[in-house]
Amino acid sequence: MPAGAAAAVLLLAGCSSAPPGEEGPFAGQEVRWRACYDERQVGELAGWGADAAWLETLECGTVAVPLDHDRPDGTVLEIALIRAPATGPEEERLGSLVLNPGGPGVSGIEMLDFPYFGDEVRAAFDLVSFDPRGVGESGGFACGDRYVLDDAFRRVADTDPEDLTDVELQPLEDAARRYAEACTEAVGEEFLAHLGTVNVVRDLDIVRDALGDERLSFVGYSYGTHIGALYAEMFPANTRALVLDGAVETELSNAGIALDQVAAHQNTWDMFAAHCAAEADGCPFAGAAPEGGGADARMQELLAGLDREPAEVEGIPVDGETLLQMIGTELYHEESWDYLAALLAALDADDGEGTARHLGELYDNTFGKYEDVDPEDVDPRLEHQDANAVFTAVNCADRADPEDVAAYRDAADRAAELSPLFGPDLVWEQLPCAYWPESEEAPTGITAPDAPPIVVIGTVGDPATPYAWAEELADQLETGVLVTYEGAGHTLYGKERSPCVDRPVDAYLLTGEAPRSGLTCPRA
């Protein structure tokens, strides 16, 4: 196990085997809160745009949980927590509001470097977030050479998946197998086997107890909706109010998930192309019907032009593949679409100055500001390793996946048909799951019949978690209530994008009264 994981693992002896949620060795813990950041760290984060006064209020702590909840006397993990204390009078506070930003693999600790929600919610609740097991300060790890895997993807990128022979697929299959084996070697089969969402949910109930909350109030974004829905299924009596924004599908294989996401990316791209054509001067898609593929063809011409003659951002070449990656990221942020349209207009007009200016901003938004790094400061053991391995590890642990590469080829072929632009890459990225060690898969068929009302928020133009998934989850949960946002982007509650959504959901968290069924909010 690498240092990052080992630092969060302890050994606890002589424990009983009481299940989580009942009296046992992990019940009744007291979180020892401390200031998260010293003066130097506050200054550094403030330099990246964080509010220093907000950072100074944040408190951090840990809660102990068993690696294997069926063997609580074995290896123990420490789950890292962060808290922004409630601002209202003590007698009006409602306890903790636990947050998860999604992923899998996104740090909940880093999430709270910036404020969420309005004044009423922040007055009533301690905002609490956490790094789930295997993430960040809760045993985060790196494993596998992702570059080798990506290179194998690129070698087949220009070939129709249907036409790929077994010989051409072999390098891709070998790279995916080696990646899975490298992760197993890096952190151990037992650790990987217990990273799935079912164990995150068991950890969450221990966290709830340690926070002193009789019942859980929770806001989960994207993958966090899986955590919240499964919590309601497993611990309905301990559930108070759940907001699930950007619902994920819980029944399909990872390849099936990828196909739905490819279709969602294409849908959001079509929405952006229509917005660009209607609103932006010089938009290259003006007069092209997105649904007819006109915008796709025009965009492919622009990408091909960059492949022939890449642009530069601070000396870094930007080819068509890189630009498409950046565009895919911007589809998550509806509020930046005017700016993205201006970039494409400049590129289409061969406006070198405008292209350079807009492209530099887009590059910074996607990859962070480029800084020189002294090679001596880079640990050679980690230089090519995938620090986001937990994303793959959790997805592979949670779902039943095909073990035959031909099944992924068939899905990749379908993805290429669904989206000429975004194509099969999302499918190929799931291939390591074919070789992943056995794990405790997350339960399917979640209905949570004994839970109180659960609010599910879906965005019509969500490129990552299709709106149909929100409809499906709200219908599947016996107490689910769907709130629809007619705009685009990936998740929105508490981010001041839609008062129509925020106001009734705030009221739900504060009072337990769910929004009216079928509430639909227009694009802001």
Side-chain angles (χ1 to χ4, degrees), residues 52-90:
W54 169 264
L55 295 171
E56 289 168 354
T57 69
L58 299 178
E59 301 171 335
C60 288
T62 59
V63 169
V65 301
L67 174 63
D68 182 349
H69 283 267
D70 291 330
R71 295 178 54 246
D73 56 344
T75 301
V76 173
L77 308 177
E78 286 191 344
I79 301 300
L81 309 179
I82 188 168
R83 176 175 74 171
T87 60
E90 186 76 32

CSV table of all heavy atoms in Angstrom, one decimal, residues 52-90:
chain,number,residue,atom,x,y,z
A,52,ALA,N,-10.4,34.2,2.2
A,52,ALA,CA,-9.6,33.9,3.4
A,52,ALA,C,-10.4,33.8,4.7
A,52,ALA,O,-10.2,32.9,5.5
A,52,ALA,CB,-8.5,35.0,3.6
A,53,ALA,N,-11.4,34.7,4.8
A,53,ALA,CA,-12.3,34.7,6.0
A,53,ALA,C,-13.0,33.3,6.1
A,53,ALA,O,-13.2,32.8,7.2
A,53,ALA,CB,-13.2,35.8,6.0
A,54,TRP,N,-13.5,32.8,5.0
A,54,TRP,CA,-14.2,31.5,4.9
A,54,TRP,C,-13.2,30.4,5.3
A,54,TRP,O,-13.6,29.6,6.2
A,54,TRP,CB,-14.7,31.3,3.5
A,54,TRP,CG,-15.2,29.9,3.3
A,54,TRP,CD1,-14.6,28.9,2.7
A,54,TRP,CD2,-16.5,29.3,3.7
A,54,TRP,NE1,-15.3,27.7,2.7
A,54,TRP,CE2,-16.5,28.0,3.3
A,54,TRP,CE3,-17.6,29.9,4.3
A,54,TRP,CZ2,-17.6,27.2,3.5
A,54,TRP,CZ3,-18.7,29.0,4.5
A,54,TRP,CH2,-18.7,27.7,4.1
A,55,LEU,N,-12.0,30.4,4.8
A,55,LEU,CA,-11.1,29.4,5.0
A,55,LEU,C,-10.7,29.3,6.5
A,55,LEU,O,-10.5,28.2,7.1
A,55,LEU,CB,-9.8,29.6,4.2
A,55,LEU,CG,-9.9,29.5,2.7
A,55,LEU,CD1,-8.6,29.9,2.0
A,55,LEU,CD2,-10.3,28.0,2.3
A,56,GLU,N,-10.7,30.4,7.2
A,56,GLU,CA,-10.3,30.5,8.6
A,56,GLU,C,-11.4,29.9,9.5
A,56,GLU,O,-11.1,29.5,10.6
A,56,GLU,CB,-10.0,31.9,9.0
A,56,GLU,CG,-8.7,32.5,8.4
A,56,GLU,CD,-8.6,34.0,8.6
A,56,GLU,OE1,-9.5,34.6,9.0
A,56,GLU,OE2,-7.5,34.5,8.2
A,57,THR,N,-12.6,29.7,9.0
A,57,THR,CA,-13.7,29.1,9.8
A,57,THR,C,-13.6,27.6,9.7
A,57,THR,O,-14.3,26.9,10.5
A,57,THR,CB,-15.1,29.6,9.3
A,57,THR,OG1,-15.4,29.0,8.0
A,57,THR,CG2,-15.1,31.1,9.3
A,58,LEU,N,-12.9,27.0,8.7
A,58,LEU,CA,-13.0,25.6,8.5
A,58,LEU,C,-12.3,24.7,9.5
A,58,LEU,O,-11.2,25.1,9.9
A,58,LEU,CB,-12.5,25.2,7.1
A,58,LEU,CG,-13.2,25.9,5.9
A,58,LEU,CD1,-12.5,25.6,4.6
A,58,LEU,CD2,-14.7,25.5,5.9
A,59,GLU,N,-12.9,23.6,9.9
A,59,GLU,CA,-12.3,22.7,10.9
A,59,GLU,C,-12.2,21.3,10.3
A,59,GLU,O,-13.0,20.9,9.6
A,59,GLU,CB,-13.2,22.7,12.2
A,59,GLU,CG,-13.4,24.1,12.8
A,59,GLU,CD,-14.4,24.0,13.9
A,59,GLU,OE1,-15.3,23.2,13.9
A,59,GLU,OE2,-14.4,24.9,14.8
A,60,CYS,N,-11.2,20.6,10.7
A,60,CYS,CA,-10.9,19.3,10.2
A,60,CYS,C,-10.8,18.3,11.3
A,60,CYS,O,-10.5,18.6,12.4
A,60,CYS,CB,-9.6,19.3,9.4
A,60,CYS,SG,-9.8,20.1,7.8
A,61,GLY,N,-11.2,17.0,11.0
A,61,GLY,CA,-11.1,15.9,11.9
A,61,GLY,C,-11.1,14.6,11.2
A,61,GLY,O,-11.1,14.5,10.0
A,62,THR,N,-11.1,13.5,12.0
A,62,THR,CA,-11.2,12.2,11.4
A,62,THR,C,-12.2,11.3,12.1
A,62,THR,O,-12.5,11.5,13.3
A,62,THR,CB,-9.8,11.5,11.4
A,62,THR,OG1,-9.3,11.4,12.7
A,62,THR,CG2,-8.8,12.3,10.5
A,63,VAL,N,-12.7,10.3,11.5
A,63,VAL,CA,-13.5,9.2,12.1
A,63,VAL,C,-12.9,7.9,11.6
A,63,VAL,O,-12.6,7.7,10.5
A,63,VAL,CB,-15.0,9.4,11.6
A,63,VAL,CG1,-15.8,8.1,12.0
A,63,VAL,CG2,-15.6,10.6,12.2
A,64,ALA,N,-12.9,6.9,12.6
A,64,ALA,CA,-12.3,5.6,12.3
A,64,ALA,C,-13.5,4.7,11.7
A,64,ALA,O,-14.6,4.7,12.3
A,64,ALA,CB,-11.7,5.0,13.5
A,65,VAL,N,-13.2,3.9,10.7
A,65,VAL,CA,-14.1,2.9,10.1
A,65,VAL,C,-13.3,1.7,9.8
A,65,VAL,O,-12.1,1.7,9.5
A,65,VAL,CB,-14.8,3.5,8.9
A,65,VAL,CG1,-15.6,4.7,9.2
A,65,VAL,CG2,-13.8,3.7,7.7
A,66,PRO,N,-14.0,0.5,9.8
A,66,PRO,CA,-13.3,-0.7,9.4
A,66,PRO,C,-13.1,-0.8,7.9
A,66,PRO,O,-14.0,-0.5,7.1
A,66,PRO,CB,-14.2,-1.8,10.0
A,66,PRO,CG,-15.5,-1.2,9.9
A,66,PRO,CD,-15.4,0.2,10.2
A,67,LEU,N,-12.0,-1.3,7.4
A,67,LEU,CA,-11.9,-1.6,6.0
A,67,LEU,C,-12.9,-2.6,5.6
A,67,LEU,O,-13.6,-2.4,4.5
A,67,LEU,CB,-10.5,-2.2,5.7
A,67,LEU,CG,-10.2,-2.6,4.3
A,67,LEU,CD1,-10.3,-1.5,3.3
A,67,LEU,CD2,-8.9,-3.3,4.2
A,68,ASP,N,-13.1,-3.6,6.3
A,68,ASP,CA,-14.1,-4.7,6.0
A,68,ASP,C,-15.2,-4.6,7.1
A,68,ASP,O,-14.9,-5.0,8.3
A,68,ASP,CB,-13.5,-6.0,5.9
A,68,ASP,CG,-14.5,-7.1,5.6
A,68,ASP,OD1,-15.7,-6.9,5.6
A,68,ASP,OD2,-14.0,-8.3,5.3
A,69,HIS,N,-16.3,-4.1,6.8
A,69,HIS,CA,-17.4,-4.0,7.9
A,69,HIS,C,-17.8,-5.3,8.4
A,69,HIS,O,-18.5,-5.3,9.5
A,69,HIS,CB,-18.5,-3.2,7.3
A,69,HIS,CG,-18.3,-1.7,7.2
A,69,HIS,ND1,-18.6,-0.8,8.2
A,69,HIS,CD2,-17.7,-0.9,6.2
A,69,HIS,CE1,-18.2,0.4,7.9
A,69,HIS,NE2,-17.7,0.4,6.7
A,70,ASP,N,-17.6,-6.4,7.8
A,70,ASP,CA,-17.9,-7.7,8.3
A,70,ASP,C,-16.8,-8.2,9.2
A,70,ASP,O,-17.0,-9.2,9.9
A,70,ASP,CB,-18.1,-8.7,7.2
A,70,ASP,CG,-19.4,-8.4,6.4
A,70,ASP,OD1,-20.3,-7.9,7.0
A,70,ASP,OD2,-19.4,-8.7,5.2
A,71,ARG,N,-15.7,-7.5,9.3
A,71,ARG,CA,-14.5,-7.9,10.1
A,71,ARG,C,-14.0,-6.6,10.8
A,71,ARG,O,-12.9,-6.1,10.6
A,71,ARG,CB,-13.4,-8.5,9.3
A,71,ARG,CG,-13.8,-9.9,8.7
A,71,ARG,CD,-12.6,-10.4,7.8
A,71,ARG,NE,-11.4,-10.5,8.6
A,71,ARG,CZ,-10.3,-9.8,8.4
A,71,ARG,NH1,-10.3,-8.9,7.4
A,71,ARG,NH2,-9.2,-10.0,9.1
A,72,PRO,N,-14.8,-6.1,11.8
A,72,PRO,CA,-14.4,-4.8,12.4
A,72,PRO,C,-13.2,-4.9,13.3
A,72,PRO,O,-12.7,-3.9,13.7
A,72,PRO,CB,-15.7,-4.5,13.2
A,72,PRO,CG,-16.4,-5.7,13.5
A,72,PRO,CD,-16.1,-6.6,12.2
A,73,ASP,N,-12.7,-6.1,13.6
A,73,ASP,CA,-11.5,-6.3,14.4
A,73,ASP,C,-10.3,-6.3,13.5
A,73,ASP,O,-9.2,-6.6,14.0
A,73,ASP,CB,-11.6,-7.5,15.2
A,73,ASP,CG,-11.8,-8.8,14.4
A,73,ASP,OD1,-12.2,-8.7,13.2
A,73,ASP,OD2,-11.6,-9.9,15.0
A,74,GLY,N,-10.4,-6.0,12.2
A,74,GLY,CA,-9.3,-6.0,11.3
A,74,GLY,C,-8.7,-4.6,11.0
A,74,GLY,O,-8.7,-3.8,11.9
A,75,THR,N,-8.3,-4.4,9.8
A,75,THR,CA,-7.7,-3.2,9.4
A,75,THR,C,-8.7,-2.0,9.5
A,75,THR,O,-9.9,-2.2,9.2
A,75,THR,CB,-7.2,-3.3,8.0
A,75,THR,OG1,-6.2,-4.3,7.9
A,75,THR,CG2,-6.6,-2.0,7.5
A,76,VAL,N,-8.2,-0.9,10.0
A,76,VAL,CA,-9.1,0.3,10.2
A,76,VAL,C,-8.6,1.5,9.4
A,76,VAL,O,-7.4,1.7,9.3
A,76,VAL,CB,-9.1,0.7,11.7
A,76,VAL,CG1,-9.9,2.0,11.9
A,76,VAL,CG2,-9.8,-0.5,12.5
A,77,LEU,N,-9.5,2.2,8.8
A,77,LEU,CA,-9.2,3.4,8.0
A,77,LEU,C,-9.6,4.6,8.8
A,77,LEU,O,-10.6,4.6,9.6
A,77,LEU,CB,-10.0,3.4,6.7
A,77,LEU,CG,-9.9,2.1,5.8
A,77,LEU,CD1,-10.8,2.3,4.6
A,77,LEU,CD2,-8.5,1.9,5.4
A,78,GLU,N,-9.0,5.7,8.5
A,78,GLU,CA,-9.4,7.0,9.1
A,78,GLU,C,-10.0,7.8,7.9
A,78,GLU,O,-9.4,8.1,6.9
A,78,GLU,CB,-8.2,7.8,9.7
A,78,GLU,CG,-7.8,7.2,11.0
A,78,GLU,CD,-6.8,8.1,11.8
A,78,GLU,OE1,-6.3,9.0,11.1
A,78,GLU,OE2,-6.6,7.9,13.0
A,79,ILE,N,-11.3,8.2,8.1
A,79,ILE,CA,-12.0,9.0,7.1
A,79,ILE,C,-11.8,10.5,7.5
A,79,ILE,O,-12.2,10.9,8.6
A,79,ILE,CB,-13.5,8.7,7.1
A,79,ILE,CG1,-13.6,7.2,6.7
A,79,ILE,CG2,-14.2,9.5,6.1
A,79,ILE,CD1,-13.0,6.8,5.4
A,80,ALA,N,-11.3,11.3,6.6
A,80,ALA,CA,-11.0,12.7,6.8
A,80,ALA,C,-12.3,13.5,6.6
A,80,ALA,O,-13.0,13.4,5.6
A,80,ALA,CB,-9.9,13.2,5.9
A,81,LEU,N,-12.5,14.4,7.6
A,81,LEU,CA,-13.7,15.3,7.6
A,81,LEU,C,-13.3,16.7,7.5
A,81,LEU,O,-12.2,17.1,8.0
A,81,LEU,CB,-14.6,15.0,8.8
A,81,LEU,CG,-15.0,13.6,9.2
A,81,LEU,CD1,-15.8,13.7,10.5
A,81,LEU,CD2,-15.8,13.0,8.1
A,82,ILE,N,-14.2,17.6,7.0
A,82,ILE,CA,-14.0,19.0,7.1
A,82,ILE,C,-15.4,19.6,7.5
A,82,ILE,O,-16.4,19.1,7.0
A,82,ILE,CB,-13.5,19.6,5.8
A,82,ILE,CG1,-13.2,21.1,5.9
A,82,ILE,CG2,-14.5,19.4,4.6
A,82,ILE,CD1,-12.4,21.6,4.7
A,83,ARG,N,-15.4,20.7,8.2
A,83,ARG,CA,-16.7,21.3,8.7
A,83,ARG,C,-16.6,22.8,8.6
A,83,ARG,O,-15.6,23.4,9.0
A,83,ARG,CB,-16.9,20.9,10.1
A,83,ARG,CG,-18.2,21.5,10.7
A,83,ARG,CD,-18.5,21.0,12.1
A,83,ARG,NE,-17.6,21.5,13.2
A,83,ARG,CZ,-17.7,21.3,14.5
A,83,ARG,NH1,-18.8,20.5,14.9
A,83,ARG,NH2,-16.9,21.7,15.3
A,84,ALA,N,-17.7,23.4,8.1
A,84,ALA,CA,-17.9,24.9,8.2
A,84,ALA,C,-19.0,25.0,9.2
A,84,ALA,O,-20.2,24.7,8.9
A,84,ALA,CB,-18.3,25.5,6.9
A,85,PRO,N,-18.7,25.5,10.4
A,85,PRO,CA,-19.8,25.5,11.5
A,85,PRO,C,-20.9,26.4,11.1
A,85,PRO,O,-20.8,27.4,10.4
A,85,PRO,CB,-19.0,26.1,12.7
A,85,PRO,CG,-17.6,25.8,12.5
A,85,PRO,CD,-17.4,25.9,11.0
A,86,ALA,N,-22.1,26.1,11.6
A,86,ALA,CA,-23.3,26.9,11.3
A,86,ALA,C,-23.1,28.3,11.9
A,86,ALA,O,-22.4,28.5,12.9
A,86,ALA,CB,-24.5,26.2,12.0
A,87,THR,N,-23.7,29.2,11.2
A,87,THR,CA,-23.5,30.6,11.6
A,87,THR,C,-24.7,31.2,12.4
A,87,THR,O,-24.6,32.3,12.9
A,87,THR,CB,-23.4,31.5,10.3
A,87,THR,OG1,-24.6,31.4,9.5
A,87,THR,CG2,-22.2,31.1,9.5
A,88,GLY,N,-25.8,30.4,12.5
A,88,GLY,CA,-27.0,30.9,13.2
A,88,GLY,C,-26.9,30.7,14.7
A,88,GLY,O,-26.0,30.0,15.2
A,89,PRO,N,-27.9,31.2,15.5
A,89,PRO,CA,-27.9,31.0,16.9
A,89,PRO,C,-28.0,29.5,17.2
A,89,PRO,O,-28.6,28.7,16.5
A,89,PRO,CB,-29.2,31.7,17.3
A,89,PRO,CG,-29.5,32.6,16.2
A,89,PRO,CD,-29.0,32.0,15.0
A,90,GLU,N,-27.4,29.1,18.3
A,90,GLU,CA,-27.3,27.7,18.7
A,90,GLU,C,-28.7,27.0,18.7
A,90,GLU,O,-28.9,25.9,18.3
A,90,GLU,CB,-26.6,27.6,20.1
A,90,GLU,CG,-26.3,26.1,20.5
A,90,GLU,CD,-25.1,25.6,19.8
A,90,GLU,OE1,-24.2,26.3,19.4
A,90,GLU,OE2,-25.1,24.3,19.6
